[in-house]
Amino acid sequence: MSQLHLQSKATLNNGVEMPWFGLGVYKVQEGNEVIESVKTAIQAGYRSIDTAALYGNEEGVGQAIRESGVPREELFITTKVWNSDQREGRVLEAFETSLNKLGLDYVDLYLVHWPVKDKYKETWKAMEQLYASGKVRAIGVSNFQIHHLQDLLADASVVPTVNQVELHPHLSQPQLRQFCKDNGIQIEAWAPLGQGRLLDNETLKDIAAVHGKSVAQVILRWDLQNGIVTIPKSVTESRIIENADIYDFELSSDEMKRIDDLNGDLRYGADPDNFNF
């Protein structure tokens, strides 16, 4: 994967291409903060933006897209249906709301945000309808464990293209990654930097020093070399640019293994099996 660049893409199981690298906007304030960070990222060469109904900043993301000057078809926009809309069976309505807030004609990827017990299969049927309508180029899931995916795949007409999960060197999810690979589902990491908890890790600092890179850059490079789509969040211009500057070095197999060995199954976000839906 040494020939990768910032706009390199993974091919999803339905043939749609998705950038390996993007900007996440969780907890980025609606209004100026989200508009400026998205515009900065696009200007720096990012082409993938990941938002969600829950984040409350879809309008700002949409405004930034319009003001960026980059043609819509060059961008890859992801949003997600929130849990309460699964409960009420309002998936189609929730999608239209997101689309209107974004000010777009279509979304590139629409995800089921969490596997709400006894609801996600019904939600998936609605997602399949949206996909058939052409208003979504790809549909997928987020925070699904192997057993959720097995349950979903038993009845699904459309295999999810993506499973976006908490994934970083302290929670590298090897079994889930293998399951997704075996089933043609692209794995995507949220909180790839472990919400900042990995930035002082001595192993990562050592590897970073060898390459003259930051710890964040080493982790994001590890994602890419593992075939993981990654969407680090930042609102700081210098950090947005630095995070993407990971295409001029390569981690050795030994370095990759040292990072793999940091796995401790440590979750810093919510647990999909014990989540207060």
Side-chain angles (χ1 to χ4, degrees), residues 6 52 93 123 140 151 155 178 255:
L6 182 51
E93 200 181 311
T123 297
D151 185 38
D155 301 310
Q178 189 60 50
E255 289 168 331

PDB file of all heavy atoms in Angstrom, residues 6 52 93 123 140 151 155 178 255:
ATOM      1  N   LEU A   6      -3.619  10.631  -0.393  1.00  0.00           N
ATOM      2  CA  LEU A   6      -4.783  11.069   0.398  1.00  0.00           C
ATOM      3  C   LEU A   6      -6.113  10.780  -0.277  1.00  0.00           C
ATOM      4  O   LEU A   6      -7.114  10.572   0.393  1.00  0.00           O
ATOM      5  CB  LEU A   6      -4.643  12.560   0.741  1.00  0.00           C
ATOM      6  CG  LEU A   6      -5.726  13.204   1.598  1.00  0.00           C
ATOM      7  CD1 LEU A   6      -6.003  12.411   2.872  1.00  0.00           C
ATOM      8  CD2 LEU A   6      -5.329  14.625   1.970  1.00  0.00           C
ATOM      9  N   ALA A  52     -23.250  12.559  11.360  1.00  0.00           N
ATOM     10  CA  ALA A  52     -24.374  11.733  11.820  1.00  0.00           C
ATOM     11  C   ALA A  52     -25.470  12.654  12.309  1.00  0.00           C
ATOM     12  O   ALA A  52     -25.200  13.784  12.750  1.00  0.00           O
ATOM     13  CB  ALA A  52     -23.937  10.808  12.958  1.00  0.00           C
ATOM     14  N   GLU A  93     -37.880   8.768   7.087  1.00  0.00           N
ATOM     15  CA  GLU A  93     -38.096  10.175   7.471  1.00  0.00           C
ATOM     16  C   GLU A  93     -36.785  10.793   7.988  1.00  0.00           C
ATOM     17  O   GLU A  93     -36.435  11.925   7.640  1.00  0.00           O
ATOM     18  CB  GLU A  93     -39.148  10.166   8.585  1.00  0.00           C
ATOM     19  CG  GLU A  93     -39.874  11.463   8.824  1.00  0.00           C
ATOM     20  CD  GLU A  93     -40.867  11.282   9.985  1.00  0.00           C
ATOM     21  OE1 GLU A  93     -41.637  10.305   9.997  1.00  0.00           O
ATOM     22  OE2 GLU A  93     -40.831  12.136  10.887  1.00  0.00           O
ATOM     23  N   THR A 123     -34.736  -1.967  10.802  1.00  0.00           N
ATOM     24  CA  THR A 123     -34.059  -0.766  10.300  1.00  0.00           C
ATOM     25  C   THR A 123     -33.329  -1.079   8.997  1.00  0.00           C
ATOM     26  O   THR A 123     -33.369  -0.299   8.045  1.00  0.00           O
ATOM     27  CB  THR A 123     -33.063  -0.241  11.357  1.00  0.00           C
ATOM     28  OG1 THR A 123     -33.802   0.140  12.513  1.00  0.00           O
ATOM     29  CG2 THR A 123     -32.264   0.957  10.857  1.00  0.00           C
ATOM     30  N   GLY A 140     -24.543   0.792   5.223  1.00  0.00           N
ATOM     31  CA  GLY A 140     -23.690   0.017   6.110  1.00  0.00           C
ATOM     32  C   GLY A 140     -24.142   0.142   7.547  1.00  0.00           C
ATOM     33  O   GLY A 140     -25.238   0.648   7.831  1.00  0.00           O
ATOM     34  N   ASP A 151     -26.502 -12.141  12.648  1.00  0.00           N
ATOM     35  CA  ASP A 151     -27.957 -12.041  12.758  1.00  0.00           C
ATOM     36  C   ASP A 151     -28.526 -11.261  11.568  1.00  0.00           C
ATOM     37  O   ASP A 151     -29.508 -11.663  10.941  1.00  0.00           O
ATOM     38  CB  ASP A 151     -28.289 -11.355  14.088  1.00  0.00           C
ATOM     39  CG  ASP A 151     -29.771 -11.307  14.372  1.00  0.00           C
ATOM     40  OD1 ASP A 151     -30.472 -12.294  14.051  1.00  0.00           O
ATOM     41  OD2 ASP A 151     -30.242 -10.285  14.921  1.00  0.00           O
ATOM     42  N   ASP A 155     -30.855 -12.599   7.150  1.00  0.00           N
ATOM     43  CA  ASP A 155     -32.062 -12.188   6.414  1.00  0.00           C
ATOM     44  C   ASP A 155     -31.839 -11.051   5.429  1.00  0.00           C
ATOM     45  O   ASP A 155     -32.761 -10.664   4.728  1.00  0.00           O
ATOM     46  CB  ASP A 155     -33.149 -11.720   7.403  1.00  0.00           C
ATOM     47  CG  ASP A 155     -33.525 -12.804   8.383  1.00  0.00           C
ATOM     48  OD1 ASP A 155     -33.791 -13.925   7.928  1.00  0.00           O
ATOM     49  OD2 ASP A 155     -33.530 -12.545   9.600  1.00  0.00           O
ATOM     50  N   GLN A 178     -11.414  -9.768  10.814  1.00  0.00           N
ATOM     51  CA  GLN A 178     -11.351 -10.962   9.963  1.00  0.00           C
ATOM     52  C   GLN A 178     -12.742 -11.354   9.475  1.00  0.00           C
ATOM     53  O   GLN A 178     -12.930 -11.696   8.305  1.00  0.00           O
ATOM     54  CB  GLN A 178     -10.706 -12.138  10.725  1.00  0.00           C
ATOM     55  CG  GLN A 178     -10.408 -13.343   9.836  1.00  0.00           C
ATOM     56  CD  GLN A 178      -9.447 -13.022   8.699  1.00  0.00           C
ATOM     57  OE1 GLN A 178      -8.383 -12.451   8.902  1.00  0.00           O
ATOM     58  NE2 GLN A 178      -9.826 -13.377   7.473  1.00  0.00           N
ATOM     59  N   GLU A 255       7.411  -3.265  13.066  1.00  0.00           N
ATOM     60  CA  GLU A 255       6.708  -2.135  13.709  1.00  0.00           C
ATOM     61  C   GLU A 255       5.205  -2.382  13.747  1.00  0.00           C
ATOM     62  O   GLU A 255       4.541  -2.091  14.756  1.00  0.00           O
ATOM     63  CB  GLU A 255       7.027  -0.833  12.958  1.00  0.00           C
ATOM     64  CG  GLU A 255       8.452  -0.368  13.165  1.00  0.00           C
ATOM     65  CD  GLU A 255       8.866   0.755  12.215  1.00  0.00           C
ATOM     66  OE1 GLU A 255       8.330   0.836  11.085  1.00  0.00           O
ATOM     67  OE2 GLU A 255       9.726   1.550  12.614  1.00  0.00           O
TER      68      GLU A 255
END
